[in-house]
Structure formats: structure tokens, C-alpha cells
Amino acid sequence: MSTSAIHAGWSGGDMHGAVTPPIYATSAYAHPDHDSLKELFARRRSGFAYARSGNPTTAVLEQRLTALEGGIGAIAVASGQAATTIALCALLEPGSHVVASALLYGGTTEFLDDTLADLAVTTTTVDPWDLDAWERAITPSTRVVLVESIANPGAQLVDLDAISAIAHAHDVAVVVDATLSTPALYRAGDHGADVVVHSATKYLCGHGTTIAGIIVDTGRFDPRRCPQRWQRLTTRNRRFGVVFADDYERGASGLLSYARAKYVTDFGTTLPATSAQQILVGIETLDLRMRKISADAATLAGRLHGSAGIARVNHPSIPGRPDAHLVRRDFPHGTSGVFSVDLAGGEEAAAAFCNALELFTLAVNIGDARSLVCHPGTTTHSHLTEPQRRACGVHPGTVRLSIGLEDLEELSADLERGLAAVEAVAPGTDRAAQEPALLS
């Protein structure tokens, strides 16, 4: 992992001997003759013509994520939301059905319920820990099962091996948002994922500087196994004059070729070269960062567990969690630095807690080198309905923490400051009476 994070996709070759991938700051690419450019647009050769469809710096990032995830190809796009959007659009059509975990990031839930609904795609959400519910929810029109490897904000884990087996028995593609786990902690493709998406803005970047997204084809998805279900890939495309599924014969991803040719180009979501370079720099230290962050988060979660004013700490290491066995089986190196706490005093207590923190930064990002805090109910999940928020494990007193790289003891002291502020606004709150249901 550490070696690939530094070397995959780039072995030099720059005319000046650059050690790290250069930033190709150009909008277009010159070609030696008419036929060269003609062949490129006819998809009979690979290369670059216009930066809206790709860039050499971005291509290095794509090759690096392909190596880290053990896949057959990747596309880098302008944001994590763009990655989810393009991956789903490439797999769905009007009338399709999605079965999604109830524990999804708020923006993903809104996209499913609002934008995809406008395009005549329906969604059924299920408790990710109820395997029978996944089976019952799948219909003849289901094309995608969507889960997060580690849920945001409650850090719930899923039995992806079991969910994938259910989906694949019905020829349904499994899409996994692996933003919180990253390939440093968990390779979703090894557990059945067909497509993996990342908000590279988070841990892959690691320093809060750059917005980016990644789509990876793990190589498990092959539309030729059930061509009638995936006719956009298995029949000749009228616009481009090719059968995209033919790419699998040469070890490439027809799904990604289709997604890049149509959606990346039409939506204009290409990742700029400068952004790609920033993500590449971050990935070089991914393995080291994820191990420290995960260990420190588990330590802090353990210290917070049982503290006055806290109804629940939502971290996989806490005793009694139904996903504890998955930590031992699938996450030997940790479960990232994101988890949440449910404060017994509701939103008033959450506000006091956030305002009292001095080292944690109040901001709606995660995966930064600096520790961050926010109140999901009034920010990232504020546009969801109350039942949707409860299903996501977001309650009035829920606070999301993203542990960074600062000194562990200083972070611990800062959290104690927050708890002292909670006690001041909600002294002696009955913890048991206020404790929310683990999954509503």
C-alpha cells in the first residue's frame, strides 16, 4: 500500500526528469496530423484532445487509485458528489430502482430522493444491518445497491460480503462509497464491490485543500454476463458508434469508458490538473495518516464513552455495537477518524460543546490533518426529513468529530472543555432517558 501510494502511475519519463508528476496546465493538446486527431475522436486510439475529457496529471491519479483499490480503471472528477452522480447515472436509466443503506451521507440521500427521482429512478432505503431487508427490497428493476463502507457520521460498518452476495444473485451492481475507509484500511472490491467511489477531498487529500472525487471499477462488474440488463453498454451506442462492453475484452472498463465519454464530458466534471496533483501529494502519506488517525479516534471514543452528558458514543470500538465483529474481521488497521457523539442535552448541548472547543475547528469537512467538528442536524443533514435523520443516526444532540493529526492528549483536553460546557447548560441530564435508539 505505502509503495503504490508513492509510485503507482508514475515512473518518470518527463523530458526534464521530474520526480513527481508535473502539472499539465493546458486546455488542449496538439496532434501531428489530421488522422491522429480523427482516430482519437473515433475511439480507435487513446490520448488527450481537450482537457474536459482528461489530463495527463489526472491520469496519474486515476492509475494510482486503480492500483490502490486493485481495480481495472478509475476516473477522477471534480468532487465526491460528482463521482457518485456519474457512477449512478452510468448504471441507471429511467425506471431503474436503487436499494440504498439508510446510513448515507446527507447529500447522497438528497441526490437519490430529489434529483434521481426527477429522472424517474426510485429508491428504497433499508437498515444496512438487516440482511433480509436487502433481499426483500430488490425488485426486477433494481440495478444498483448503494452503501458506505463506513457510514458518515455514525461510523457504522456493513457486512459488504453478505450484501454483495445478495445483490449479485440478482445481477445487481454494488456501488460502495469508501470515502471514510480509503484503500489503506479496507479495499471494498475484495468484499464484493463492483464500483467504488471516493470523495478524494477527504482522507485521500488529507489536508483540506482540494475538492475531488474518484470512481473505480474493481473489475467485478461485467455487463456481458446479463446483456439485457445493461443494454447501454452491451449494444452499439448510437452517439459514439461503439459497444462499450467490448472494452472488457482487453482488460479495460467499458463502464468507465461510457461514463467518461458521456457523463464526464457532458457534465463538465473533469478534475483540473492542479487539483489532481494536490490529491497525489496527499495519497503519498495516506497509509501513515490513516493508522494514526484511526488509533487516536478509537482512544478518544473510549475516553468519551460513559462521560457525563453523553448519551452515546457512535464508534465501532464501543462495547455492544452490532458491527463489532466486522472490526475484527475486516478492519484490522482501524476504522478512520470520523465518529459521532449523541449529547443528552439536544441541540443546545451540541451548540455549547462545539462553541467551547478551541483546538477542533468548526467546519463541515472530514478527513483533514486538523481535527474538525460540526452539528449534522443543522448542517450536512439539515435538508433531510426528521425520519431520514433518525434513520441516519442523526439526532438533535448529535455532534460529528473528525480526528486529525494533532497531539492526542491535547485533543482529549479540548474535548473535556466541550463536555464542561455541556454540563453548564444541561447539568445532571438523565443519560438513560435521553439515549437515542441505535437505529431508528
Side-chain angles (χ1 to χ4, degrees):
M1 177 63 63
S2 294
T3 300
S4 294
I6 295 170
H7 294 285
W10 179 255
S11 57
D14 174 78
M15 62 183 296
H16 301 293
V19 174
T20 59
I23 297 172
Y24 288 86
T26 181
S27 58
Y29 302 85
H31 290 263
D33 52 51
H34 168 82
D35 286 344
S36 174
L37 198 55
K38 177 181 177 180
E39 291 292 296
L40 185 61
F41 272 79
R43 297 184 53 79
R44 289 191 287 266
R45 60 178 292 268
S46 59
F48 302 98
Y50 189 63
R52 185 152 55 95
S53 298
N55 178 285
T57 310
T58 305
V60 175
L61 174 60
E62 293 167 347
Q63 293 168 35
R64 190 157 298 177
L65 259 295
T66 298
L68 294 179
E69 290 287 7
I72 62 172
I75 300 176
V77 291
S79 69
Q81 190 69 39
T84 300
T85 298
I86 290 170
L88 293 181
C89 284
L91 290 164
L92 301 171
E93 57 188 46
S96 294
H97 176 244
V98 177
V99 182
S101 166
L103 300 174
L104 292 178
Y105 166 63
T108 304
T109 300
E110 291 179 47
F111 173 66
L112 293 171
D113 286 354
D114 187 7
T115 303
L116 279 187
D118 289 344
L119 302 176
V121 173
T122 58
T123 300
T124 300
T125 57
V126 299
D127 175 348
W129 291 337
D130 185 347
L131 296 179
D132 290 337
W134 288 101
E135 181 72 52
R136 292 193 303 270
I138 292 176
T139 72
S141 62
T142 305
R143 294 294 179 269
V144 169
V145 154
L146 177 63
V147 298
E148 293 181 1
S149 57
I150 304 175
N152 174 8
Q156 296 92 343
L157 312 178
V158 296
D159 189 343
L160 184 57
D161 297 83
I163 294 170
S164 296
I166 293 169
H168 291 156
H170 296 275
D171 293 310
V172 171
V174 178
V175 178
V176 177
D177 183 336
T179 296
L180 266 64
S181 58
T182 81
L185 300 179
Y186 180 85
R187 291 213 313 195
D190 294 344
H191 299 272
D194 297 295
V195 177
V196 179
V197 297
H198 292 275
S199 173
T201 311
K202 312 304 192 296
Y203 288 116
L204 295 180
C205 175
H207 297 85
T209 62
T210 309
I211 300 290
I214 303 286
I215 310 165
V216 181
D217 185 335
T218 67
R220 290 177 170 270
F221 176 74
D222 189 343
R224 297 172 299 178
R225 288 196 294 263
C226 191
Q228 293 303 311
R229 292 178 69 83
W230 311 103
Q231 293 188 43
R232 290 184 175 182
L233 301 174
T234 59
T235 60
R236 188 173 183 81
N237 185 279
R238 174 190 58 80
R239 174 178 171 185
F240 299 103
V242 298
V243 177
F244 284 100
D246 289 348
D247 283 6
Y248 291 98
E249 295 177 4
R250 55 185 180 85
S253 171
L255 175 66
L256 295 184
S257 295
Y258 173 64
R260 188 190 299 276
K262 181 171 182 176
Y263 295 107
V264 174
T265 301
D266 287 355
F267 293 169
T269 58
T270 302
L271 184 67
T274 303
S275 298
Q277 194 265 355
Q278 288 285 299
I279 304 299
L280 283 165
V281 171
I283 289 174
E284 291 183 354
T285 59
L286 177 65
D287 196 27
L288 294 171
R289 288 186 288 105
M290 293 307 292
R291 290 177 187 246
K292 171 179 167 50
I293 285 170
S294 296
D296 286 358
T299 298
L300 293 171
R303 292 179 183 180
L304 290 170
H305 178 61
S307 297
I310 294 183
R312 175 178 287 113
V313 176
N314 301 299
H315 188 278
S317 65
I318 300 302
R321 280 270 294 228
D323 53 354
H325 68 290
L326 297 174
V327 178
R328 296 187 294 270
R329 189 188 79 183
D330 298 339
F331 292 85
H333 302 305
T335 58
S336 90
V338 175
F339 66 98
S340 65
V341 296
D342 297 322
L343 298 171
E347 184 180 339
E348 182 182 8
F353 180 85
C354 292
N355 290 339
L357 298 177
E358 298 176 3
L359 189 53
F360 281 77
T361 301
L362 182 61
V364 287
N365 191 24
I366 55 176
D368 200 329
R370 56 198 48 76
S371 294
L372 308 173
V373 63
C374 78
H375 181 249
T378 55
T379 58
T380 59
H381 292 67
S382 62
H383 297 148
L384 304 185
T385 65
E386 182 60 30
Q388 286 176 323
R389 283 195 292 272
R390 288 198 303 270
C392 290
V394 173
H395 305 277
T398 300
V399 171
R400 183 182 72 185
L401 300 171
S402 175
I403 306 305
L405 295 172
E406 300 95 341
D407 178 76
L408 174 64
E409 297 307 322
E410 292 188 2
L411 290 174
S412 185
D414 203 33
L415 292 172
E416 287 297 328
R417 258 190 298 275
L419 292 178
V422 170
E423 180 65 18
V425 300
T429 303
D430 185 347
R431 178 176 180 267
Q434 293 289 330
E435 186 168 341
L438 193 58
L439 277 177
S440 301

